[in-house]
Every structure is written in structure tokens, then in C-alpha cells.
Amino acid sequence: MIDSAVVAQTNDLRAKNLKADYDALGEQLNRCGIPIDAIKAKVAAYGVAVPSWGVGTGGTRFARFPGEGEPRHIFDKLEDCGVIQQLTRATPDVSLHIPWDKADPSELKAKAQALGLGFDAMNSNTFQDQEGQPHSYKFGSLSHTDAATRQQAVEHNLECIEIGRAIGSKALTVWIGDGSNFPGQSNFTRQFERYLDAAKQIYAQLPGDWRLFTEHKMYEPAFYSTVVQDWGTNYMIAQELGEQAYCLVDLGHHAPNVNIEMIVARLVQFGKLGGFHFNDSKYGDDDLDTGSIDPYRLFLVFNELVDAEKRQAPGFDPAHMLDQSHNVTDPIESLMVSAMEVQRAYAQALIVDRPALEGFQQENDALMATTTLKKAFRTDVEPILAMARVENGGAIDPVATYRSSGYRKKVAGIRPAVSGAGGGIV
Amino acid sequence: MIDSAVVAQTNDLRAKNLKADYDALGEQLNRCGIPIDAIKAKVAAYGVAVPSWGVGTGGTRFARFPGEGEPRHIFDKLEDCGVIQQLTRATPDVSLHIPWDKADPSELKAKAQALGLGFDAMNSNTFQDQEGQPHSYKFGSLSHTDAATRQQAVEHNLECIEIGRAIGSKALTVWIGDGSNFPGQSNFTRQFERYLDAAKQIYAQLPGDWRLFTEHKMYEPAFYSTVVQDWGTNYMIAQELGEQAYCLVDLGHHAPNVNIEMIVARLVQFGKLGGFHFNDSKYGDDDLDTGSIDPYRLFLVFNELVDAEKRQAPGFDPAHMLDQSHNVTDPIESLMVSAMEVQRAYAQALIVDRPALEGFQQENDALMATTTLKKAFRTDVEPILAMARVENGGAIDPVATYRSSGYRKKVAGIRPAVSGAGGGIV
Amino acid sequence: MIDSAVVAQTNDLRAKNLKADYDALGEQLNRCGIPIDAIKAKVAAYGVAVPSWGVGTGGTRFARFPGEGEPRHIFDKLEDCGVIQQLTRATPDVSLHIPWDKADPSELKAKAQALGLGFDAMNSNTFQDQEGQPHSYKFGSLSHTDAATRQQAVEHNLECIEIGRAIGSKALTVWIGDGSNFPGQSNFTRQFERYLDAAKQIYAQLPGDWRLFTEHKMYEPAFYSTVVQDWGTNYMIAQELGEQAYCLVDLGHHAPNVNIEMIVARLVQFGKLGGFHFNDSKYGDDDLDTGSIDPYRLFLVFNELVDAEKRQAPGFDPAHMLDQSHNVTDPIESLMVSAMEVQRAYAQALIVDRPALEGFQQENDALMATTTLKKAFRTDVEPILAMARVENGGAIDPVATYRSSGYRKKVAGIRPAVSGAGGGIV
Amino acid sequence: MIDSAVVAQTNDLRAKNLKADYDALGEQLNRCGIPIDAIKAKVAAYGVAVPSWGVGTGGTRFARFPGEGEPRHIFDKLEDCGVIQQLTRATPDVSLHIPWDKADPSELKAKAQALGLGFDAMNSNTFQDQEGQPHSYKFGSLSHTDAATRQQAVEHNLECIEIGRAIGSKALTVWIGDGSNFPGQSNFTRQFERYLDAAKQIYAQLPGDWRLFTEHKMYEPAFYSTVVQDWGTNYMIAQELGEQAYCLVDLGHHAPNVNIEMIVARLVQFGKLGGFHFNDSKYGDDDLDTGSIDPYRLFLVFNELVDAEKRQAPGFDPAHMLDQSHNVTDPIESLMVSAMEVQRAYAQALIVDRPALEGFQQENDALMATTTLKKAFRTDVEPILAMARVENGGAIDPVATYRSSGYRKKVAGIRPAVSGAGGGIV
């Protein structure tokens, strides 16, 4: 963790200006009848989970270029997550990935507790083969043509639930890479029947207070078809499995041009929105930092979420997680900034004048309706976020504080340098 | 109709070569255990409906360039459709569009009967304002914020059912242009609630032996969101309405890169595939001639259909229709060629060695599985199609026969020339 | 024009808050070493042209739903443009479209002058057939296989230059709909050779102080291929023609996911950026209001423009124009808001800390580089824009002032209602 | 290599049917005035290069699932390439990748000669870091902000030329992963200036009888921008460098929906088409087997090539290479099938009735023009390909012969099993 003196010191430099900006913004919002402190309170109470694997440098099929001080194991990862939470106060929970993060549950709990962290959804992995695994997932896992392979994948998911129970998780996220690379390679219908059958076996063992999140993705690693290719198929799955089954929306898993905020609205309306994997993308599943490419789209997603929250949509309780690949930045920095971007979109959505919006919608005043959203979006809510952070014990400028702290250099002294994978994968 | 002597004459020129090609292909197929006559019989029994509006020259928002002899009304259109059926024997039914094709039902029936035609699904129109219509659809129809406008749209659909009953149709296709052009213009959830409510009113009046087809489309004429934007929403609608409600798939209404054949498989699996609007596209809803851009994709769709047919998927009985915009060709020619392209894809799908395919799929032999599809696809089944046509009384080469007949020139003498719309719509 | 008392009155209501917000922002910017008045001065000097056709309600191939008080002719259109400029002070010039706006040049000039307007680039039209035109553009214009048709198209462009000279324009914009709807319909090479040959004939007659802008577009109205399909072909054209030939970039004319700001950078680097048609889009050439879908993308384009401006890129002098289709809003309102969105992006780009950015780029500090852009983007520069407007004689809130003025109702009393085109174009 | 007795034996089983099919097709083509033997001769003379890395199992960022008998080094790879050529007689050359294939040049030559293989273009690698490399390519190579890193990348390319000279190659292909993941990370203009400067240094050392191929790619591994993002930038590069510089077209490196055959035509027209990397894709750079997703698109590309060949376009001499990632098939099988798919497209393009096509194009008979292409495409030219193979000493059915030979099992006994990369790269 970072020395609290460093946090205090870097905050001190910024406190006066923050106060001035917060007051000026408060004045502006007050004119529109919005109490800034109420917004701040909601932002302060908001959290987005961090995935354990996100704190390592990511890569592509072409190469991976690790940075200094790469975490060696889940305990290093938890420490990095602890820093993110310490400075942003926006990421109270960590999401584990099995088998990457397998460790003694009590040690995991103890470490997390020491760092002030909790555990979010468990993530299973049946898209890679592990050393010594009897059956390969080369041709699929939960939907494989071979029953023994499906059984192995089911059991792995059940093991994830077991681990999750032990550490206090309440959800299992299932993403599979199953699909096909050639027309004809798989019979779509048989493959989906097998998937549903296997998923039902997992669902049958889900604890009564857990949720099962299934995640759709258009393509990659399969390049002709994917079993859970879009939200339509994902919705069918959630319906087939039962009321504890929900759809997870990753912002980068859609076809080009798709209106994601509308998918969010549909899933909310039919009670099946499970949660999000936040990131951003320009081309495919680019896993770029949240809000870095199209911040307005992120805002429009949160506009739907706040709309659902305000009208108390039945069963509305989505899980929020970041899911990014940090190839050219310090993962800790990217995750801090991304957590703040998610908060920013939330804050902006909170200050939308909803009664006015509803009126414009009712009258088909498209121009004023969209201007109402834009007005909220272009409001610089940074003072609200920063004030919420500092009042919660975090940093006004988390990146500056982090850099001042020398954390990366410090861990680089402990964690050995690793060389990038230079595979022949083209 | 075209003089049967012209048909006979142009067929005579081609009969010998056709016989030789048919025999050579029969020999090849026989080697693979496929009886060519059985395939021919299935092709001969197959029909795809023609939309009445398809026989007029289409256009874009920029311009329309009419051709000679444009049909003036539904009776001219029926005559053109009669020619298409006469020569191809592949298009026994016509699909009407109300109010464009409104006329006395008994006259419609008599005319169709005289031409050897039947009537396919009825199509309603709530995406345009008609002269004297009390409420405008500028801001929507079935999902409009105004109850009276929704009611008007419901009643129009009920009128379409009435007309359809009188002429022997058994289905109503509902496509609406409702959506929005700006973020915030519409509340997605409220809009969809209104849509479902209106659709239920139509469904409640559906005759017991009818089907209701709803059609999804990603965008256009609305450019930010569309109420029925994809198959996921369309599936929700079909579920909400009831067992006579089905999803219609237009090949051009999807996001870029989407795997359409997989959507078809999903809808078949869950008993909700209503039918198709066939066309082809490279960019958006281009409404190009079926199979003209990506014939393999069309084949892959038919591969799913034949798969479903062979395993007698419950409730599988999709309606087939062409839906194209003919901007630079003679619409009659395009529709004839397109009907034959649909038959071609069907014939190719019929000769897929399905037991072999299933074996390769089971063994994850991706290469041989896809090669099995490709082998069927690259078989030139034209002799089967031509033989089926000629034995049914049609033309071996419908386009050549049509051109020989001078039909277009003849109708151009009767139907006055029209000038293109030169609007300021950019 | 709108009564200046209405402007004064609506401004009075907002002046005090504007002053407060401007001062607060000035303070914030000052902390970063940015003098707010200098930014305001640049914004005040900035102008974006309005297209004459933009003040009429647009439509799609499915329908057009006109509003009240649609302009009847170019003089009505100029009046509407005058209102836009009166209230926003951001749109000093109008771009004419021939033959739609054909009128006596001296009357045009007089009218414009009276309204305080000038004339921007001339736009030719060879994508529609005009009454009595000898040769049809159904199969192309400048690239048509028929020499006489090409000649006709060339002459039309020369006529546009003539008219432009008479009214003080200094540029010709050439956008054609030429292309093909079927593979094989056109020989790509021959077609482009013919295009280049015709374009050279136009270029040869270009006055020495004029520029020729060619515009690329991926598709529509042609749906398989377009002659000037992308910036690569457009660049070839500009190179072939000569130094007065430049490429025009319409934000909606690209393939999905394309990085438009990078195209802008390339054209600047090679001295061939002619200008912009601003709008926004989610799917294709949707022609939505500028900045309404992806405001960050618009900012990134302006980031390139300001970068080029600051380093005084040789020959850098792009023309700026709005080009939108207003289907569901009052066109005057949409154009006012869009002009301000363009200004907003410009203002945000102006406050980017460029020395810092350059440093981060040099050190590959991706996170701080992108944060530097984001910081500028999330600054609410509205007070700068409003202050620039009001000091120039415009309105603090143009839409509110416009609505207060009753202008639309007034012209609706003069201009007869028109009914929408309800064509059979599906 | 495979025992020639196995080849002979498997051919014998198929010879009679092949003869019958070849004769029947010859008869059909003869009717259209096409001498089948002339087509066969052209097909027999055609070759497409195989990339050395293609014979290893590929993977994604998520996982790699190796097969049996993975090649250990370039000599194993050459043996696999030898088998492909032995059975298909369509792949006479191998393209090397440095440093992956670095070895003693004389040994390389000897081995290739023994296998009846030659060497195609050299491929450099500056998208990965190699053990012990002084400067990392994490933030770019030829366009890096650091001069020493650029220099290192230039020198690596010069080394590739040296190796190529020693083994008889005549071209260098430069593909880089340089780009950025965040808006603002790189200054587009400075980055491209650095790229051009470095490329000029390589070009300056290019032997007089060599060609330099630069390859564009829209995205991946960089996900916001790529330096050589499209053919427009690629064309600028080729122009800047000089007459030995050409553009390479990889079929999977374009934006969604892009008309690739048109890009091919443009590059031919302006004398800058260098060659191809063949593969197929549905979503992004999927690197699927050539022709497996959209065989008609492949045909349309070859239609341009044959058109250019027939009219003897100046400087037209493109290099042909396969570039695929084989994740779920035996790479040898995929490469054999893909080589044949390329030949198939070529053969189909050769039998297009070009005088008729030209006539239809001239008359704007779009329907007959496209039908002319379709007629050639739907001709099953397999007998031509098979006859060309068998007459050249190859196999009638290369996959069947390969499977009969037991080659894979044999090499699996020699080459040790490898386990898949199970990285934490998500």
C-alpha cells in the first residue's frame, strides 16, 4: 500500500483548487435545482470491481510487452488492486479467475481483508488447456461434442463456485470460447443444445443466493461462429436456466455500430441484466480503457442505468466490473483512470434533468431531449468525483499520487522482470 | 402473359444441351448416391413469393430513375408477377402492400386466378403518411407517444387482415420504421412497452389460422435507434404475443459481419422462425438482388433450412419472399434471376452429404466438414433448375425468353412513361 | 430576421449567469496558463458554412415528413440561413446547390447581403435527372460509358462555376453518385479513367483563385461500388488534377470503425485537405446532427486541425460546412445547435495543453497523453461560446431565443404547407 | 516427402471419374468457345507461395492448441511445405520470416532444392521483442519516437535483405505493428514522418532487382490507430519511396464492408499493386482459410487480376502468398485446400466471357454483366484443377492422399509434442 503521507501531501497541493471548483460547480448545479452533495454521496457509494488479471500487462496474439514489476501471483495482484482502491475508493472488490488465481481460500480472504478488499464474481476458464488436463478445449468446452470434455468443463465451473463460496463471492461468470472457424464445422443447433444441457448442470448446483452471469461475444477466439454470439442467444440462455441466471454485457463484444445502450434497456425491461464488463473499443474486442474511445456511449449506457434505478425497475441490480487489456500503460494507472471514467459517466447520468427529458420525449421534441442529455454530459463533474474520493480517504489526483509514491519501482525491486512472449502466432 | 410459342421456341434452342448437362450431372451425383430426379422434384415444388412493389423500379433518397412500362397499379403489377411465374415456375404467390395495392378484393382474386397466382402475406404500412390521414407517423406509429396515433396504426393493420382474409392470405407482416434519430429522443423502454401493447391488440384480432410476422431492422429510416432493432428484440415480441407470432428475417437488416445463418438456426431451434425476406447487401439494407453479392451466405442459410427440414424441426414452416429494390435493372428480370438464385441455394443445400457432415462434426474434422459444404456449393445445379422449370411449363432461360418476347416494350406502349422523383432530399 | 428586441430580452435573462460561469471558467483556465479571452476571440472569428438545402426537412427513401413553413425556394432558404447566422454568429456563409438554387445572381447577391450572408462553395448535381435533361444519369454522370452524358455532366459543373463566379464563390464541390449495384456492372478501371478524364475537363476551366473539392463516399446511392469510394481514390484524383484540387471529408462517408481523424491528418500532411462536410452518424451516411452521436470523435478531428494550425502546415486552409438531413427536428434549430457543436469542438481543441501533450507523446506516456486530450474535452466551454456569440450580437441561447421569436409560426403563415412524398420506394 | 506409390495409388482410384468429369466439362466449355486445355495450362503454371510460419498451428491471444508433429524449426517447416507442393503442385515457393527462420543460407538453399522448393519474399519482424534485443518495440519500431529503436528496426530489415540475397529471394515484405492504443498517444503526422524516413533508409539499400512490399492493416496489434492503416496510406508510401516500392494487399486487413476488389483495381491502375496475402475473414483479421467464408469475393479479386493480365496492364506482376492462421485444422491440409481455392478462383476468372462482359458494361446491362460473372463462378472447375495437378505429378485429391500417407503420424513420432501457451492474456 502507499504511504498515507504521500496521499496527504499530494492532496494538500490540490485541496484549495478543488474546493473552489467544487463550489463553482455546486453553484451551477444549484441553479438547475441539483444539490451537488447528493450527487457526491451517490458517487461516493458507487463501486466497480477490478479483475485480478487486469493488473498484469496484457498482449495480443502477436506479442506481449511486460512492464516492470509484473505481479507474480494472486497475492501480488491483490496488492496492486489494494493500491487502486486506496487511491480511488471506487474499486472495493476484486474478481478472481480460476485457475489463474487458485490459492488457499483462507489466505485469500485474509489478504483481501488486510487490503480492505472484497471479492466479486468468480470467473471460470474453459478456453485454455491447463497442464495435465485430461481433455482439451481445442474444439470446445461446455458445448464440445465429447461428453467427457463437457463434464470436465462443468466440474471446473462447480469448483469455481466452491472456491467462491469459501471466499464470500456471490456470482459465477461464465464466458466460453466455444464456436467454430469454418462453416459446417459445428451444427449450430446441436452445439447450443449441448451448451444448454451443460449450463443447466452448473445452474443446478448454484447456491440459492448466487447469480449466474453468462457473457456473449460476437467472435474471437472462434472466427466463424460463437455459441453465445449475441444478447439474443444470451437472453435465451438466461430464460432457459431460470431466475438466478442473468446476461452480462461486455461493451466490446458486439457487432460494429450496434446500439449497446438499447440492449441494456431491453435486458433491464425483461429482468435479465446481470452486469457489465466495462472497457472501450474502436474495432473489435479491443479491451481498451473504459471511456477512452467513445465516452458519450459510456454515458448513454449509464443514462439507461440511472433511468432504471430511478423508476425502480424490478430486479434491477447489475454487477459492475472493469475488463480491459493494458498493453501500453501501467495497469494500475489504467484501472484507476477507468474506474473514475465509470464514476464520471454515472455522475453525469445522475444530473440529467429527467422530468424535463420525459416531457420532451412525450412531445417528440427530439432536439431538446437530446440537448438535455448533452447538457449533463458536458458538465465537468470532476470536482464531484475528486471530492468524493478525498472525503473517503483517497487521492484527489490518483495518478499523480501513485507516481509520487514510487510504488511501481518498489515492487519492481521485489518482483523479477519477465520477458515477453515472442511466439510464432501470426 | 408471354406467348407460349415464344417460350417453346426459345426452349427448343436449348433443350438438347440441357438434356446433356442434366445427364452428366445426374451421373456425377449418382456416384455420390444422390438421385438427381429427387432433387429436381423438390426444386420443382419449391416457391418463393414476389412482393407486388418489387416489379416497380426502386430508388434511393437521392433519386429514382424509372424504366419503361412502369406498372401503374396493382393489376399491372400482378401481370408482371404473372410473367415471372410463367417463365420461372418458382414464384406462385404475390405479397400485397396496403394501401399501395388496395383494390376490390374480388377483382384482385379474379385477376390473380387468371394469371395462375395466389396471395402470400399481407404487408401493412405505417412508415409513410397517406393523404388525409388524421395522425402523422413522423414520430412513430405502433410505438408513438400519442395513443390516437397508435390506435390509427393498429386499425390499419386490422384492415390489412380484413383485406387478406378476403383474398385468401394467411399471414400479416408488420415492419415499422419507428425509432429515433437522437440519443434521448425516445425512452427505449416506454417505447417498446407501447409497441408491445399495440402489437397485442393486432394479435388479438388475428384469425386462428393466420400467422403474424414481425420484422427486425437495425436502422433506416431511424438512424440512432429502431424499436425492433435485432432478432433478440424480435424474439421477445414473438414470445410476448403468442404461438401464432413469428420472427421474419430480412437478409439485409443486420449489423455488419453478423452471422445470419446462426440467427436462423436459433429461431428454428426455439420455434419462432416465421420466414424470410430475401435480398443481398454489401453495406446496409442495400436490397440488392438475392445472391448477387455473397452467394455462399445464401447457401449457408439454406443449409440451415434443409437441416431443419431433414430433422423435422417442430413447427418449422418458414415463408419465403423476395424483397429487393431494383434501381438499375428491369425488375422482372431481377426477380426472375433472384427466384432462381434462391432455388439454386436450396438445390445445393439438398445435395449436401449430411451423414458425412454429421460425422465430421462429431469428430471435429473441421476441414472435411467445411469441404463437404463446399463440394455441394460448387456443384453447378443449373441443369436441375432448368429441367424443373421446363417440365413445369417454364423457360429454360427465363431472361432470354423474356427478352425475346418483347414484353417490356409492349407494356411500355400501354403504360405511360413516368419521370423520376428529383427531390431535395440529401 | 428576428426582432432584435427578442434577442436582447432573452439574452438579458441569461447575462448574469453567463458572466459568472465565464469568470469561473476563466479562473480555471488561467490556472493552466490559458487566457480565456484569447480562446473566445478565436471562437468568435470561426465560421462554418450552412448548405442551402439543409434548411428544408430531409427524408429517407421510405418517406419524408415535412414540417411547418418549409422554404419554397432559395430566397426563403436564405432567410432561414440568415436567422441561423443572426442568432449564432457562427455561420456567415451559405453553400448553394445547382439547379435547386438557380436564380438571378444579382438577386442572390442582394438578398444575401441584406441578410449579412456570403456564399461558400458551389455544389453541382449530377445524381438526379432534371426535367427535360437530354441524357439520364441513371447509369452514371462524369464516369458514364456514354460520352454525351459525360459531356452534359461536365457542362453542368462548368455552369456551376459560372454562377459561383457571379455571386462571389471561390470553390466547386463535386460529389457524384456514380458507381454500380452489381459485381461486373462496371469495369472499375475504365470507369475511373472516364471519371478522371471528365474531371480534368472541369478542372481546366477552374478560375485561378478557385479550389475544386472532390468528395468520396463509400456507398449510396450505388450499393456495390462507388467511383470515389474512399480517401485513397480521392487523393489520387486530387493528385491527378493539380494543385487547386483538394479532398473533401464528409464525416459520414467512411467504412465502419474507420479512424477519420487519421485520414484528416494524412491529407493535411500531403497538402490535400480541402474541407469538411460536418454531420454525425451511427450506421452509415446517416447525416445526423454534428456531434450528436460521438462528440469525442468530432473533438479528435478538431484536435488534428488545431495541431495543423499551430504548426502552420503548408497549404492548410480547409473549408468548413455542415451537411445534415433534418428529418425529425426544425432544421433551423438543428443547424444552430450543430454550428455550436463545431465551435465547441474547436474551442476544446484550442485549450489542449500541446507542449505537455508533445512531451507525453515523446516519452510514450500513453496514459498522460490521452488524459491531456480528455481534460480539454471534458471542459465545459459553453460560457466561451455563449460570450463570443453575445459579444458578436447573437443570442446566448439561440434555440430559446428562436422559439421565443415565433419565427417558424410566422413563416408557416406565408409558406404553404407541403405534404410528404409517399412513394413506393422500398 | 510422401511415398510416390501412395500418390499413384490414391490417384488410380480417382482417375477414371476425373477423366469423365474433365471431358464433360470440356464439352460444356467448348460450347462457349473456351478450350479447356488452355485453361488447364494456365492453372498448371500458376503458383502461390506458402509462408513458413503457416505450417505451425496458430493461436489467439487467449490460447494456442498445438497439434501433433508441430515443426520444430525452419527445416521441419520446409519439409511440410515440400509435402504441400508435392501433392498440390501449386505452391513452389516458401516465404521466410526472420528471425524465426534464421539459419545458414546455404543449408536453407540446399534443403529447399532437395524438396523442389524456391524462396519467395522475405518477411521482417519488428512487432515482437527478441531475446537480448537492445531496444523494445513496445511503443513502435520504424516509427518509434526514439531514433536508436528506429535504427535497430531498419538494420533488422537490411539483415533480412542480406539473408534473402543469399537464398535467392527478390522481395522484402514489411509489415509493422506500430500504432497507438489511445487517442493522443501518438502524433499521427510525426509518427508517419518517422516511418517514411526509416522506410527510405531500407529502400535505399534494396537491390536493383528487388521489390519492397509494404502492407497495410486497419488495426491489431494497435487498437486505436495503425501507422499504415489502409491502402491510401500504403499508396502514399509506395509513391514516396520510388518505383521498386509496391503495396501488398492482405484480404483480411480492411474495414468492414470494404470493396477489396476495387482497391486491387485502383492499385493496378496506378502501377502499385505488389501482391497479396490470401486468407479469408468474417469479422476482422481472422486469418481463416482462403475462400472459406466468401468464395465469391475471392473470385471477384481474381476477376480483376485476369482483367489486368488480359489487357497487359503496365507493370502488372503481383506476388501471391497464403497468409493464414490454422487453429483447428492440420496446417498442411488447410494450406493445400487454400492453394487450390486460389487456383479455383483463378480458373473461374479465366473462363469469364470477357468480350460479352465488356459489351454488357458498355450498354449498362447490369443484369447480364453480373450474370456473365456468375456463370463463370458457378462452373465447377475442379476437374481442371485436378487434371493440372495430376499431370504435374501431384494428387487428384491431395487431402485424401495426405491422410492415406500417414505423414502427420510419422512426423509426430520424430517431433516432440508441445503444450499450448496458457497465458494470462485476456
Side-chain angles (χ1 to χ4, degrees), chain D residues 75-388:
Chain D
F75 298 101
D76 279 357
K77 291 180 196 172
L78 285 173
E79 283 183 9
D80 290 357
C81 294
V83 167
I84 297 167
Q85 163 66 352
Q86 180 190 9
L87 299 183
T88 65
R89 304 290 158 162
T91 59
D93 294 318
V94 178
S95 194
L96 298 194
H97 201 288
I98 304 300
W100 302 339
D101 299 330
K102 233 171 144 170
D104 179 73
S106 56
E107 284 185 48
L108 286 172
K109 277 185 84 167
K111 181 74 177 179
Q113 213 157 7
L115 293 161
L117 297 170
F119 289 107
D120 196 66
M122 301 300 294
N123 298 271
S124 60
N125 179 337
T126 62
F127 52 85
Q128 295 178 323
D129 285 352
Q130 306 301 328
E131 204 60 41
Q133 172 184 308
H135 305 284
S136 169
Y137 296 133
K138 180 168 188 166
F139 298 107
S141 60
L142 292 176
S143 77
H144 199 288
T145 53
D146 175 56
T149 310
R150 294 198 300 276
Q151 190 54 33
Q152 173 184 282
V154 167
E155 281 162 16
H156 167 69
N157 275 281
L158 298 180
E159 184 198 7
C160 291
I161 295 175
E162 276 324 292
I163 296 171
R165 281 181 111 151
I167 61 172
S169 174
K170 291 289 177 200
L172 175 68
T173 295
V174 178
W175 173 72
I176 58 168
D178 295 38
S180 69
N181 273 7
F182 290 88
Q185 178 185 340
S186 300
N187 182 297
F188 294 142
T189 307
R190 298 303 176 217
Q191 193 177 33
F192 192 37
E193 286 168 351
R194 294 188 298 262
Y195 172 87
L196 284 170
D197 187 64
K200 282 172 186 170
Q201 292 180 53
I202 299 167
Y203 186 81
Q205 306 291 323
L206 200 70
D209 59 346
W210 275 50
R211 291 189 289 174
L212 179 65
F213 300 142
T214 51
E215 190 174 354
H216 75 266
K217 184 172 181 181
M218 193 195 201
Y219 69 99
E220 196 208 24
F223 290 112
Y224 165 64
S225 72
T226 297
V227 176
V228 192
Q229 91 277 24
D230 63 11
W231 79 273
T233 291
N234 207 356
Y235 176 69
M236 282 171 162
I237 295 166
Q239 277 195 316
E240 289 290 305
L241 295 188
E243 55 180 24
Q244 289 170 255
Y246 293 86
C247 303
L248 195 83
V249 176
D250 182 299
L251 297 194
H253 289 191
H254 307 265
N257 302 343
V258 156
N259 189 321
I260 299 173
E261 53 269 29
M262 195 164 188
I263 292 174
V264 171
R266 290 286 181 271
L267 289 173
V268 169
Q269 185 173 352
F270 283 75
K272 284 297 189 190
L273 179 69
F276 292 92
H277 278 185
F278 289 115
N279 51 55
D280 211 337
S281 57
K282 185 157 182 64
Y283 305 101
D285 185 28
D286 308 331
D287 279 333
L288 299 179
D289 286 13
T290 305
S292 65
I293 299 298
D294 189 349
Y296 194 49
R297 179 167 56 186
L298 182 66
F299 164 80
L300 292 173
V301 166
F302 271 89
N303 182 48
E304 293 304 317
L305 299 183
V306 170
D307 181 65
E309 187 185 313
K310 296 253 165 175
R311 61 182 160 78
Q312 298 179 289
F316 177 73
D317 181 24
H320 290 208
M321 192 183 93
L322 299 172
D323 187 11
Q324 306 174 162
S325 182
H326 310 108
N327 302 353
V328 296
T329 55
D330 181 326
I332 290 177
E333 296 187 2
S334 270
L335 287 164
M336 291 196 300
V337 170
S338 298
M340 295 186 284
E341 286 300 304
V342 172
Q343 282 184 313
R344 189 185 318 282
Y346 181 47
Q348 290 167 330
L350 284 169
I351 62 174
V352 168
D353 183 347
R354 287 185 192 276
L357 178 63
E358 207 178 322
F360 295 132
Q361 288 171 342
Q362 194 58 34
E363 302 154 27
N364 294 302
D365 189 343
L367 188 113
M368 284 310 297
T370 208
T371 298
T372 302
L373 292 187
K374 272 292 195 64
K375 201 186 160 198
F377 174 69
R378 71 176 186 242
T379 303
D380 186 356
V381 297
E382 182 61 28
I384 299 177
L385 275 53
M387 195 60 92

Side-chain angles (χ1 to χ4, degrees), chain A residues 121-354:
Chain A
M122 302 299 294
N123 297 271
S124 60
N125 179 338
T126 62
F127 53 86
Q128 294 178 324
D129 286 349
Q130 306 302 329
E131 203 62 40
Q133 173 183 309
H135 306 284
S136 170
Y137 296 132
K138 180 168 189 166
F139 298 106
S141 59
L142 291 176
S143 77
H144 199 287
T145 52
D146 174 56
T149 311
R150 295 197 297 276
Q151 188 56 31
Q152 174 184 283
V154 167
E155 281 163 17
H156 168 69
N157 276 280
L158 298 182
E159 185 198 7
C160 291
I161 294 175
E162 276 322 293
I163 297 171
R165 280 180 113 151
I167 61 173
S169 174
K170 291 288 177 202
L172 173 68
T173 295
V174 179
W175 173 72
I176 57 168
D178 295 37
S180 71
N181 272 8
F182 290 87
Q185 178 185 340
S186 300
N187 181 297
F188 294 143
T189 307
R190 299 302 175 216
Q191 194 177 33
F192 192 37
E193 285 169 350
R194 292 188 299 262
Y195 172 87
L196 284 171
D197 187 64
K200 281 172 187 170
Q201 292 180 51
I202 299 168
Y203 186 81
Q205 306 289 325
L206 200 70
D209 58 347
W210 276 50
R211 289 189 290 173
L212 179 65
F213 300 143
T214 52
E215 191 174 353
H216 75 266
K217 184 172 183 183
M218 194 196 199
Y219 69 99
E220 197 208 22
F223 291 111
Y224 164 64
S225 72
T226 296
V227 175
V228 191
Q229 91 276 24
D230 63 12
W231 79 274
T233 290
N234 207 357
Y235 176 67
M236 282 172 163
I237 294 167
Q239 276 195 316
E240 289 289 306
L241 294 188
E243 56 180 21
Q244 288 171 256
Y246 292 87
C247 302
L248 195 83
V249 176
D250 182 299
L251 297 194
H253 288 192
H254 308 264
N257 302 343
V258 157
N259 188 321
I260 299 173
E261 54 270 29
M262 195 165 188
I263 292 173
V264 171
R266 289 286 182 272
L267 289 173
V268 169
Q269 186 173 352
F270 283 75
K272 284 297 189 189
L273 179 69
F276 291 92
H277 279 186
F278 289 116
N279 51 55
D280 211 338
S281 58
K282 186 157 181 63
Y283 305 101
D285 184 30
D286 308 333
D287 279 334
L288 299 178
D289 285 13
T290 305
S292 65
I293 299 296
D294 189 350
Y296 194 47
R297 180 168 54 187
L298 183 66
F299 164 79
L300 292 174
V301 166
F302 270 90
N303 182 49
E304 292 303 318
L305 299 183
V306 171
D307 180 65
E309 187 184 313
K310 295 254 165 171
R311 61 182 158 79
Q312 297 179 288
F316 177 73
D317 181 24
H320 291 209
M321 192 183 93
L322 299 172
D323 187 11
Q324 306 175 162
S325 182
H326 311 108
N327 301 352
V328 296
T329 56
D330 181 326
I332 290 175
E333 295 186 3
S334 271
L335 286 164
M336 290 195 303
V337 171
S338 298
M340 295 186 286
E341 285 301 303
V342 172
Q343 282 184 313
R344 188 183 319 281
Y346 181 49
Q348 290 167 330
L350 284 169
I351 62 174
V352 168
D353 183 346
R354 287 184 191 276

Side-chain angles (χ1 to χ4, degrees), chain D residues 34-50:
Chain D
I34 302 165
I36 192 169
D37 287 342
I39 305 297
K40 185 186 61 185
K42 291 196 81 88
V43 168
Y46 176 88
V48 60
V50 163

